[in-house]
Amino acid sequence: MAKTIWVLVEIEDGRPARSSLEVLSKAAHLGRAEAIVLGSAAATVAPSLGEFGAEKVYVHADPTYDTYLTLPAVDTLSDLLQRQQPDLLLFPTTYDVRDIAARLSARHNLGLITDATDLRYEGERLEVTVPWGGENVVVATHPYQGTGIVLARPKAFSVERFEGRQAEIEQLSVTLRPESQQMKILDRVEVQSEGPALEDASIIVSGGRGLGKPENYHLVEELAAVLGGAPGATRAIVDAGWLPYSYQIGQTGKTVKPTLYIACGISGAIQHLAGMKGSKYIIAINKDEHAPIFSVADLGIVGDVLTVLPQLIEEVKRRKAQL
Amino acid sequence: MRIAVCLKQAPDCSSVYVDPISGEVDTERFVQTLNAADACALEAALRLKEQLGVGSVFALTLGPGESEEVLRVALAMGADTIERLWHPSAADWGPLTIAAALAARLRADPSLPDLIFCGEQSSDWASGTVGPALAAYLGLPQITGVIGLEAHQDSGQLLLRVTRRLERGYRERLLARPPVLLTVHETLNEPRYPSLPAHLAALRATITVRDPLSLPQFAADFEAEETTIVEVRTPRPRPHRLPIPDSQLSPFERIGEIITGGTSRRQARLVEGSPEELAHELMRFLKERGFV
């Protein structure tokens, strides 16, 4: 009998969150994956989930979840659990989903395993790999326990496409309990923290000492903005206090792998290269033709960033205006 | 204002030693201390009490005799009352059973505290689920991962302005009124150092110990959380194919290639010229690959 596995899919900027899709793909390999999507964007997100492995999608397109997810989601899942007995709830580890999983397991006495990096069924027994210290510990649950919850570590699984799979969609008619909405939480504002989302950017424009002084860093930001990318920096200028640490790329900063990396005024210290040489295309702009950065670049521009960048920004803007 | 703080004794992060060869954590070297996030939770509770000028802070832990140390620290820092829960079988309890035990203890009082503080997660297991599960058992809402907390008086009622950490560097700001449970991230504040006299006084304090199994409201399903360890293995590092460094290179560069993972060298096409020509060349590259 194929195991039925529920995956709670979170919505991020109107799209299913990557962490949820990773888990959905894994669930589809383990058995019959059923997704649960909550919130006003749920109805638009739901049809696309078949392609990521869902056989069935439960939808509750209520805007209540948009402003506060945890308690209403627990109620809805709880309600659904009273009608059906899935074998497993496999959820991504995010702050909200972790809270939901904990509350749900407390309410229904469901076993909860957190931080899973792998899981598989060995007959009726579920075996979950959990890293502890420097070791991987494989723990098994007992069949008599019934439904359980496993929280998967982000990036433990990859997102896969199940071409042509169509998910059956079921609209849930749950009445959200007023107590869960009368949460003493009156206001919810999302503010992005300082610094760029470097890990997710497909284009990164990064600056180094060659920019000369902090005032010139705006050229890097402008180029990043016109190309729709994120600005980054080397340790040299972060240490010099031009920018916060969140911008730093390299061995002691972030490791990035964008499609395009433009290094502006970066000589290419080994520690910096370690953080960016996996990029698909690398363009380096530097005055010194012997700079090590050119040894990892696809295109090396030997010139002064301060004169080349304004020219390039103009050209890109002109090009964008034409299109 | 009655505030309860749940504390746990956990290994100090700086005492964690991983054997470089076996990859195993040397648990013998652990120095047990008050879990960092829990210390921040206690500090937040004490600051709130001081700001309001009234109220009491009750520090609670579930742990063996050694963990009384964290209660003495709590007392020295300024907690009004302390209590330890323990039963020999609790060493094997998972987060849910622990949360159920803490809930049973808090329910044993005539009324629930107005605020409950917990650390977001412990330095050892870090499941981060005891806080929200405790909130569920007590029927309270929770705010987890608190990194900012301000208290205001709003027409005689306490209003908390809370900042919470989310994924991808996002923050969530909320307004909350008691009763609520907060789990605190270890960056919220800098816990105070108790004075020596306070420390000495705390050493002499007698600590009430209760058996959670004797608490009337303790209803845990011990079977739900049971797991069996099937296998423990040390993960091997992923093998990495390294190209042989180019013998033409200087030793510095060869070592550099090896330690940076040594992907094959790219052949950069170097272009020189006037800024206009260079910008033009750049544009051609970007256009050819569809970036603009």
Side-chain angles (χ1 to χ4, degrees), chain A residues 4-6 81 84-90 104-105 108-112 121 126 141-150, chain B residues 224:
Chain A
T4 303
I5 300 161
W6 284 2
L81 274 173
Q84 311 204 20
Q85 279 81 44
D87 296 285
L88 179 68
L89 276 60
L90 179 60
L104 206 57
S105 61
H108 293 275
N109 265 324
L110 309 178
L112 173 61
Y121 274 100
L126 175 68
T141 63
H142 306 287
Y144 60 79
Q145 289 166 321
T147 308
I149 310 182
V150 171

PDB file of all heavy atoms in Angstrom, chain A residues 4-6 81 84-90 104-105 108-112 121 126 141-150, chain B residues 224:
ATOM      1  N   THR A   4       0.333   7.493   2.288  1.00  0.00           N
ATOM      2  CA  THR A   4      -0.199   8.826   1.989  1.00  0.00           C
ATOM      3  C   THR A   4       0.559   9.837   2.827  1.00  0.00           C
ATOM      4  O   THR A   4       0.635   9.702   4.050  1.00  0.00           O
ATOM      5  CB  THR A   4      -1.702   8.885   2.308  1.00  0.00           C
ATOM      6  OG1 THR A   4      -2.334   7.854   1.554  1.00  0.00           O
ATOM      7  CG2 THR A   4      -2.286  10.230   1.934  1.00  0.00           C
ATOM      8  N   ILE A   5       1.127  10.802   2.163  1.00  0.00           N
ATOM      9  CA  ILE A   5       1.957  11.787   2.852  1.00  0.00           C
ATOM     10  C   ILE A   5       1.442  13.184   2.572  1.00  0.00           C
ATOM     11  O   ILE A   5       1.267  13.576   1.421  1.00  0.00           O
ATOM     12  CB  ILE A   5       3.425  11.655   2.395  1.00  0.00           C
ATOM     13  CG1 ILE A   5       3.918  10.245   2.725  1.00  0.00           C
ATOM     14  CG2 ILE A   5       4.303  12.695   3.053  1.00  0.00           C
ATOM     15  CD1 ILE A   5       5.124   9.839   1.961  1.00  0.00           C
ATOM     16  N   TRP A   6       1.190  13.904   3.627  1.00  0.00           N
ATOM     17  CA  TRP A   6       0.706  15.279   3.498  1.00  0.00           C
ATOM     18  C   TRP A   6       1.874  16.252   3.592  1.00  0.00           C
ATOM     19  O   TRP A   6       2.755  16.099   4.442  1.00  0.00           O
ATOM     20  CB  TRP A   6      -0.277  15.613   4.626  1.00  0.00           C
ATOM     21  CG  TRP A   6      -1.627  15.006   4.447  1.00  0.00           C
ATOM     22  CD1 TRP A   6      -2.032  14.177   3.439  1.00  0.00           C
ATOM     23  CD2 TRP A   6      -2.745  15.157   5.319  1.00  0.00           C
ATOM     24  NE1 TRP A   6      -3.340  13.810   3.616  1.00  0.00           N
ATOM     25  CE2 TRP A   6      -3.802  14.402   4.770  1.00  0.00           C
ATOM     26  CE3 TRP A   6      -2.961  15.860   6.505  1.00  0.00           C
ATOM     27  CZ2 TRP A   6      -5.058  14.321   5.359  1.00  0.00           C
ATOM     28  CZ3 TRP A   6      -4.203  15.792   7.101  1.00  0.00           C
ATOM     29  CH2 TRP A   6      -5.248  15.022   6.535  1.00  0.00           C
ATOM     30  N   LEU A  81      -7.377  16.105   9.825  1.00  0.00           N
ATOM     31  CA  LEU A  81      -6.864  14.873  10.440  1.00  0.00           C
ATOM     32  C   LEU A  81      -7.981  14.059  11.089  1.00  0.00           C
ATOM     33  O   LEU A  81      -7.838  12.857  11.275  1.00  0.00           O
ATOM     34  CB  LEU A  81      -5.822  15.207  11.512  1.00  0.00           C
ATOM     35  CG  LEU A  81      -4.392  15.395  11.045  1.00  0.00           C
ATOM     36  CD1 LEU A  81      -3.537  15.888  12.193  1.00  0.00           C
ATOM     37  CD2 LEU A  81      -3.812  14.101  10.495  1.00  0.00           C
ATOM     38  N   GLN A  84      -9.424  12.152   7.982  1.00  0.00           N
ATOM     39  CA  GLN A  84      -8.554  11.247   7.240  1.00  0.00           C
ATOM     40  C   GLN A  84      -7.319  10.913   8.045  1.00  0.00           C
ATOM     41  O   GLN A  84      -6.869  11.704   8.846  1.00  0.00           O
ATOM     42  CB  GLN A  84      -8.109  11.928   5.951  1.00  0.00           C
ATOM     43  CG  GLN A  84      -9.280  12.500   5.239  1.00  0.00           C
ATOM     44  CD  GLN A  84      -9.008  12.658   3.777  1.00  0.00           C
ATOM     45  OE1 GLN A  84      -8.116  12.030   3.240  1.00  0.00           O
ATOM     46  NE2 GLN A  84      -9.799  13.475   3.136  1.00  0.00           N
ATOM     47  N   GLN A  85      -6.786   9.732   7.789  1.00  0.00           N
ATOM     48  CA  GLN A  85      -5.572   9.326   8.481  1.00  0.00           C
ATOM     49  C   GLN A  85      -4.423   9.127   7.491  1.00  0.00           C
ATOM     50  O   GLN A  85      -4.256   8.035   6.972  1.00  0.00           O
ATOM     51  CB  GLN A  85      -5.777   8.028   9.277  1.00  0.00           C
ATOM     52  CG  GLN A  85      -6.435   8.244  10.619  1.00  0.00           C
ATOM     53  CD  GLN A  85      -7.935   8.377  10.512  1.00  0.00           C
ATOM     54  OE1 GLN A  85      -8.580   7.627   9.795  1.00  0.00           O
ATOM     55  NE2 GLN A  85      -8.498   9.349  11.210  1.00  0.00           N
ATOM     56  N   PRO A  86      -3.670  10.175   7.215  1.00  0.00           N
ATOM     57  CA  PRO A  86      -2.498   9.972   6.373  1.00  0.00           C
ATOM     58  C   PRO A  86      -1.454   9.185   7.167  1.00  0.00           C
ATOM     59  O   PRO A  86      -1.557   9.070   8.388  1.00  0.00           O
ATOM     60  CB  PRO A  86      -2.013  11.389   6.094  1.00  0.00           C
ATOM     61  CG  PRO A  86      -2.486  12.184   7.255  1.00  0.00           C
ATOM     62  CD  PRO A  86      -3.755  11.559   7.718  1.00  0.00           C
ATOM     63  N   ASP A  87      -0.457   8.641   6.474  1.00  0.00           N
ATOM     64  CA  ASP A  87       0.585   7.905   7.187  1.00  0.00           C
ATOM     65  C   ASP A  87       1.611   8.850   7.786  1.00  0.00           C
ATOM     66  O   ASP A  87       2.217   8.563   8.805  1.00  0.00           O
ATOM     67  CB  ASP A  87       1.275   6.943   6.221  1.00  0.00           C
ATOM     68  CG  ASP A  87       0.306   5.892   5.722  1.00  0.00           C
ATOM     69  OD1 ASP A  87       0.005   4.993   6.512  1.00  0.00           O
ATOM     70  OD2 ASP A  87      -0.178   6.003   4.585  1.00  0.00           O
ATOM     71  N   LEU A  88       1.792   9.979   7.109  1.00  0.00           N
ATOM     72  CA  LEU A  88       2.870  10.859   7.544  1.00  0.00           C
ATOM     73  C   LEU A  88       2.567  12.299   7.146  1.00  0.00           C
ATOM     74  O   LEU A  88       1.981  12.554   6.093  1.00  0.00           O
ATOM     75  CB  LEU A  88       4.175  10.405   6.863  1.00  0.00           C
ATOM     76  CG  LEU A  88       5.435  11.206   7.149  1.00  0.00           C
ATOM     77  CD1 LEU A  88       5.859  11.017   8.595  1.00  0.00           C
ATOM     78  CD2 LEU A  88       6.562  10.768   6.229  1.00  0.00           C
ATOM     79  N   LEU A  89       2.978  13.222   8.003  1.00  0.00           N
ATOM     80  CA  LEU A  89       2.953  14.640   7.651  1.00  0.00           C
ATOM     81  C   LEU A  89       4.411  15.037   7.489  1.00  0.00           C
ATOM     82  O   LEU A  89       5.176  15.015   8.459  1.00  0.00           O
ATOM     83  CB  LEU A  89       2.291  15.464   8.755  1.00  0.00           C
ATOM     84  CG  LEU A  89       0.754  15.555   8.748  1.00  0.00           C
ATOM     85  CD1 LEU A  89       0.098  14.211   8.864  1.00  0.00           C
ATOM     86  CD2 LEU A  89       0.268  16.467   9.856  1.00  0.00           C
ATOM     87  N   LEU A  90       4.794  15.342   6.270  1.00  0.00           N
ATOM     88  CA  LEU A  90       6.186  15.711   6.013  1.00  0.00           C
ATOM     89  C   LEU A  90       6.204  17.202   5.697  1.00  0.00           C
ATOM     90  O   LEU A  90       5.681  17.630   4.678  1.00  0.00           O
ATOM     91  CB  LEU A  90       6.729  14.886   4.841  1.00  0.00           C
ATOM     92  CG  LEU A  90       8.175  15.151   4.424  1.00  0.00           C
ATOM     93  CD1 LEU A  90       9.132  14.879   5.558  1.00  0.00           C
ATOM     94  CD2 LEU A  90       8.546  14.296   3.217  1.00  0.00           C
ATOM     95  N   LEU A 104       0.378  20.997  16.441  1.00  0.00           N
ATOM     96  CA  LEU A 104      -0.423  19.903  15.920  1.00  0.00           C
ATOM     97  C   LEU A 104      -0.075  18.594  16.626  1.00  0.00           C
ATOM     98  O   LEU A 104      -0.954  17.805  16.980  1.00  0.00           O
ATOM     99  CB  LEU A 104      -0.137  19.778  14.422  1.00  0.00           C
ATOM    100  CG  LEU A 104      -1.204  19.182  13.544  1.00  0.00           C
ATOM    101  CD1 LEU A 104      -2.497  19.966  13.670  1.00  0.00           C
ATOM    102  CD2 LEU A 104      -0.728  19.198  12.088  1.00  0.00           C
ATOM    103  N   SER A 105       1.218  18.382  16.853  1.00  0.00           N
ATOM    104  CA  SER A 105       1.602  17.132  17.489  1.00  0.00           C
ATOM    105  C   SER A 105       1.143  17.124  18.946  1.00  0.00           C
ATOM    106  O   SER A 105       0.761  16.085  19.468  1.00  0.00           O
ATOM    107  CB  SER A 105       3.097  16.885  17.370  1.00  0.00           C
ATOM    108  OG  SER A 105       3.799  17.905  17.994  1.00  0.00           O
ATOM    109  N   HIS A 108      -2.727  16.356  18.853  1.00  0.00           N
ATOM    110  CA  HIS A 108      -3.165  15.018  18.445  1.00  0.00           C
ATOM    111  C   HIS A 108      -2.246  13.898  18.903  1.00  0.00           C
ATOM    112  O   HIS A 108      -2.379  12.769  18.442  1.00  0.00           O
ATOM    113  CB  HIS A 108      -3.288  14.960  16.922  1.00  0.00           C
ATOM    114  CG  HIS A 108      -4.390  15.811  16.392  1.00  0.00           C
ATOM    115  ND1 HIS A 108      -5.684  15.385  16.314  1.00  0.00           N
ATOM    116  CD2 HIS A 108      -4.387  17.092  15.945  1.00  0.00           C
ATOM    117  CE1 HIS A 108      -6.433  16.363  15.824  1.00  0.00           C
ATOM    118  NE2 HIS A 108      -5.670  17.407  15.600  1.00  0.00           N
ATOM    119  N   ASN A 109      -1.291  14.222  19.765  1.00  0.00           N
ATOM    120  CA  ASN A 109      -0.341  13.213  20.227  1.00  0.00           C
ATOM    121  C   ASN A 109       0.380  12.517  19.078  1.00  0.00           C
ATOM    122  O   ASN A 109       0.471  11.294  19.024  1.00  0.00           O
ATOM    123  CB  ASN A 109      -1.048  12.146  21.054  1.00  0.00           C
ATOM    124  CG  ASN A 109      -0.941  12.467  22.517  1.00  0.00           C
ATOM    125  OD1 ASN A 109       0.081  12.984  22.963  1.00  0.00           O
ATOM    126  ND2 ASN A 109      -1.989  12.176  23.263  1.00  0.00           N
ATOM    127  N   LEU A 110       0.856  13.308  18.143  1.00  0.00           N
ATOM    128  CA  LEU A 110       1.574  12.739  17.013  1.00  0.00           C
ATOM    129  C   LEU A 110       3.066  12.813  17.299  1.00  0.00           C
ATOM    130  O   LEU A 110       3.557  13.827  17.769  1.00  0.00           O
ATOM    131  CB  LEU A 110       1.283  13.529  15.732  1.00  0.00           C
ATOM    132  CG  LEU A 110      -0.176  13.779  15.377  1.00  0.00           C
ATOM    133  CD1 LEU A 110      -0.267  14.606  14.110  1.00  0.00           C
ATOM    134  CD2 LEU A 110      -0.897  12.460  15.187  1.00  0.00           C
ATOM    135  N   GLY A 111       3.771  11.735  17.007  1.00  0.00           N
ATOM    136  CA  GLY A 111       5.225  11.756  17.160  1.00  0.00           C
ATOM    137  C   GLY A 111       5.809  12.785  16.208  1.00  0.00           C
ATOM    138  O   GLY A 111       5.303  12.976  15.110  1.00  0.00           O
ATOM    139  N   LEU A 112       6.853  13.460  16.664  1.00  0.00           N
ATOM    140  CA  LEU A 112       7.438  14.530  15.849  1.00  0.00           C
ATOM    141  C   LEU A 112       8.943  14.350  15.784  1.00  0.00           C
ATOM    142  O   LEU A 112       9.608  14.272  16.813  1.00  0.00           O
ATOM    143  CB  LEU A 112       7.077  15.891  16.470  1.00  0.00           C
ATOM    144  CG  LEU A 112       7.717  17.137  15.888  1.00  0.00           C
ATOM    145  CD1 LEU A 112       7.350  17.339  14.434  1.00  0.00           C
ATOM    146  CD2 LEU A 112       7.310  18.363  16.690  1.00  0.00           C
ATOM    147  N   TYR A 121      10.879   4.399   3.822  1.00  0.00           N
ATOM    148  CA  TYR A 121      10.070   3.359   4.441  1.00  0.00           C
ATOM    149  C   TYR A 121      10.764   2.035   4.291  1.00  0.00           C
ATOM    150  O   TYR A 121      11.209   1.661   3.221  1.00  0.00           O
ATOM    151  CB  TYR A 121       8.680   3.305   3.801  1.00  0.00           C
ATOM    152  CG  TYR A 121       7.738   4.266   4.447  1.00  0.00           C
ATOM    153  CD1 TYR A 121       7.446   5.486   3.872  1.00  0.00           C
ATOM    154  CD2 TYR A 121       7.166   3.959   5.682  1.00  0.00           C
ATOM    155  CE1 TYR A 121       6.598   6.380   4.483  1.00  0.00           C
ATOM    156  CE2 TYR A 121       6.309   4.847   6.308  1.00  0.00           C
ATOM    157  CZ  TYR A 121       6.029   6.050   5.701  1.00  0.00           C
ATOM    158  OH  TYR A 121       5.187   6.924   6.328  1.00  0.00           O
ATOM    159  N   LEU A 126       9.121   3.559   9.390  1.00  0.00           N
ATOM    160  CA  LEU A 126       9.692   4.767   8.796  1.00  0.00           C
ATOM    161  C   LEU A 126      11.072   5.003   9.404  1.00  0.00           C
ATOM    162  O   LEU A 126      11.225   5.036  10.620  1.00  0.00           O
ATOM    163  CB  LEU A 126       8.790   5.964   9.089  1.00  0.00           C
ATOM    164  CG  LEU A 126       9.326   7.320   8.623  1.00  0.00           C
ATOM    165  CD1 LEU A 126       9.349   7.408   7.112  1.00  0.00           C
ATOM    166  CD2 LEU A 126       8.492   8.449   9.199  1.00  0.00           C
ATOM    167  N   THR A 141      10.550   4.813  13.525  1.00  0.00           N
ATOM    168  CA  THR A 141       9.315   4.929  14.293  1.00  0.00           C
ATOM    169  C   THR A 141       8.659   3.551  14.324  1.00  0.00           C
ATOM    170  O   THR A 141       9.080   2.644  13.624  1.00  0.00           O
ATOM    171  CB  THR A 141       8.352   5.931  13.650  1.00  0.00           C
ATOM    172  OG1 THR A 141       7.997   5.426  12.364  1.00  0.00           O
ATOM    173  CG2 THR A 141       8.995   7.285  13.483  1.00  0.00           C
ATOM    174  N   HIS A 142       7.645   3.425  15.153  1.00  0.00           N
ATOM    175  CA  HIS A 142       6.972   2.141  15.275  1.00  0.00           C
ATOM    176  C   HIS A 142       5.618   2.196  14.589  1.00  0.00           C
ATOM    177  O   HIS A 142       4.909   3.186  14.734  1.00  0.00           O
ATOM    178  CB  HIS A 142       6.806   1.785  16.751  1.00  0.00           C
ATOM    179  CG  HIS A 142       8.103   1.833  17.486  1.00  0.00           C
ATOM    180  ND1 HIS A 142       9.074   0.870  17.324  1.00  0.00           N
ATOM    181  CD2 HIS A 142       8.625   2.750  18.338  1.00  0.00           C
ATOM    182  CE1 HIS A 142      10.125   1.186  18.064  1.00  0.00           C
ATOM    183  NE2 HIS A 142       9.886   2.329  18.688  1.00  0.00           N
ATOM    184  N   PRO A 143       5.267   1.164  13.855  1.00  0.00           N
ATOM    185  CA  PRO A 143       4.006   1.177  13.104  1.00  0.00           C
ATOM    186  C   PRO A 143       2.783   1.471  13.974  1.00  0.00           C
ATOM    187  O   PRO A 143       1.859   2.139  13.523  1.00  0.00           O
ATOM    188  CB  PRO A 143       3.932  -0.225  12.522  1.00  0.00           C
ATOM    189  CG  PRO A 143       5.340  -0.685  12.435  1.00  0.00           C
ATOM    190  CD  PRO A 143       6.036  -0.052  13.595  1.00  0.00           C
ATOM    191  N   TYR A 144       2.787   1.014  15.249  1.00  0.00           N
ATOM    192  CA  TYR A 144       1.598   1.230  16.081  1.00  0.00           C
ATOM    193  C   TYR A 144       1.360   2.707  16.391  1.00  0.00           C
ATOM    194  O   TYR A 144       0.304   3.089  16.872  1.00  0.00           O
ATOM    195  CB  TYR A 144       1.682   0.423  17.380  1.00  0.00           C
ATOM    196  CG  TYR A 144       2.866   0.768  18.253  1.00  0.00           C
ATOM    197  CD1 TYR A 144       2.840   1.905  19.059  1.00  0.00           C
ATOM    198  CD2 TYR A 144       4.001  -0.037  18.279  1.00  0.00           C
ATOM    199  CE1 TYR A 144       3.928   2.228  19.845  1.00  0.00           C
ATOM    200  CE2 TYR A 144       5.091   0.275  19.066  1.00  0.00           C
ATOM    201  CZ  TYR A 144       5.057   1.409  19.836  1.00  0.00           C
ATOM    202  OH  TYR A 144       6.124   1.735  20.608  1.00  0.00           O
ATOM    203  N   GLN A 145       2.356   3.551  16.101  1.00  0.00           N
ATOM    204  CA  GLN A 145       2.195   4.959  16.450  1.00  0.00           C
ATOM    205  C   GLN A 145       1.247   5.702  15.507  1.00  0.00           C
ATOM    206  O   GLN A 145       0.801   6.787  15.820  1.00  0.00           O
ATOM    207  CB  GLN A 145       3.557   5.652  16.448  1.00  0.00           C
ATOM    208  CG  GLN A 145       4.412   5.211  17.627  1.00  0.00           C
ATOM    209  CD  GLN A 145       5.858   5.607  17.464  1.00  0.00           C
ATOM    210  OE1 GLN A 145       6.394   5.540  16.365  1.00  0.00           O
ATOM    211  NE2 GLN A 145       6.476   6.022  18.545  1.00  0.00           N
ATOM    212  N   GLY A 146       0.967   5.130  14.363  1.00  0.00           N
ATOM    213  CA  GLY A 146       0.051   5.807  13.432  1.00  0.00           C
ATOM    214  C   GLY A 146       0.707   7.004  12.786  1.00  0.00           C
ATOM    215  O   GLY A 146       1.920   7.036  12.606  1.00  0.00           O
ATOM    216  N   THR A 147      -0.111   8.008  12.509  1.00  0.00           N
ATOM    217  CA  THR A 147       0.396   9.199  11.823  1.00  0.00           C
ATOM    218  C   THR A 147       1.483   9.888  12.636  1.00  0.00           C
ATOM    219  O   THR A 147       1.373  10.012  13.851  1.00  0.00           O
ATOM    220  CB  THR A 147      -0.765  10.191  11.602  1.00  0.00           C
ATOM    221  OG1 THR A 147      -1.821   9.487  10.970  1.00  0.00           O
ATOM    222  CG2 THR A 147      -0.338  11.358  10.737  1.00  0.00           C
ATOM    223  N   GLY A 148       2.518  10.332  11.978  1.00  0.00           N
ATOM    224  CA  GLY A 148       3.570  11.088  12.650  1.00  0.00           C
ATOM    225  C   GLY A 148       3.926  12.304  11.812  1.00  0.00           C
ATOM    226  O   GLY A 148       3.478  12.450  10.679  1.00  0.00           O
ATOM    227  N   ILE A 149       4.737  13.186  12.408  1.00  0.00           N
ATOM    228  CA  ILE A 149       5.175  14.383  11.683  1.00  0.00           C
ATOM    229  C   ILE A 149       6.696  14.356  11.568  1.00  0.00           C
ATOM    230  O   ILE A 149       7.391  14.060  12.547  1.00  0.00           O
ATOM    231  CB  ILE A 149       4.763  15.684  12.406  1.00  0.00           C
ATOM    232  CG1 ILE A 149       3.267  15.660  12.764  1.00  0.00           C
ATOM    233  CG2 ILE A 149       5.075  16.899  11.545  1.00  0.00           C
ATOM    234  CD1 ILE A 149       2.777  16.926  13.434  1.00  0.00           C
ATOM    235  N   VAL A 150       7.204  14.657  10.404  1.00  0.00           N
ATOM    236  CA  VAL A 150       8.647  14.810  10.235  1.00  0.00           C
ATOM    237  C   VAL A 150       8.892  16.193   9.638  1.00  0.00           C
ATOM    238  O   VAL A 150       8.245  16.590   8.669  1.00  0.00           O
ATOM    239  CB  VAL A 150       9.233  13.719   9.307  1.00  0.00           C
ATOM    240  CG1 VAL A 150      10.689  14.017   8.977  1.00  0.00           C
ATOM    241  CG2 VAL A 150       9.122  12.345   9.963  1.00  0.00           C
TER     242      VAL A 150
ATOM    243  N   ALA B 224       3.855   7.940  21.662  1.00  0.00           N
ATOM    244  CA  ALA B 224       3.863   8.725  20.430  1.00  0.00           C
ATOM    245  C   ALA B 224       5.272   9.111  19.999  1.00  0.00           C
ATOM    246  O   ALA B 224       5.582   9.155  18.819  1.00  0.00           O
ATOM    247  CB  ALA B 224       3.002   9.963  20.594  1.00  0.00           C
TER     248      ALA B 224
END
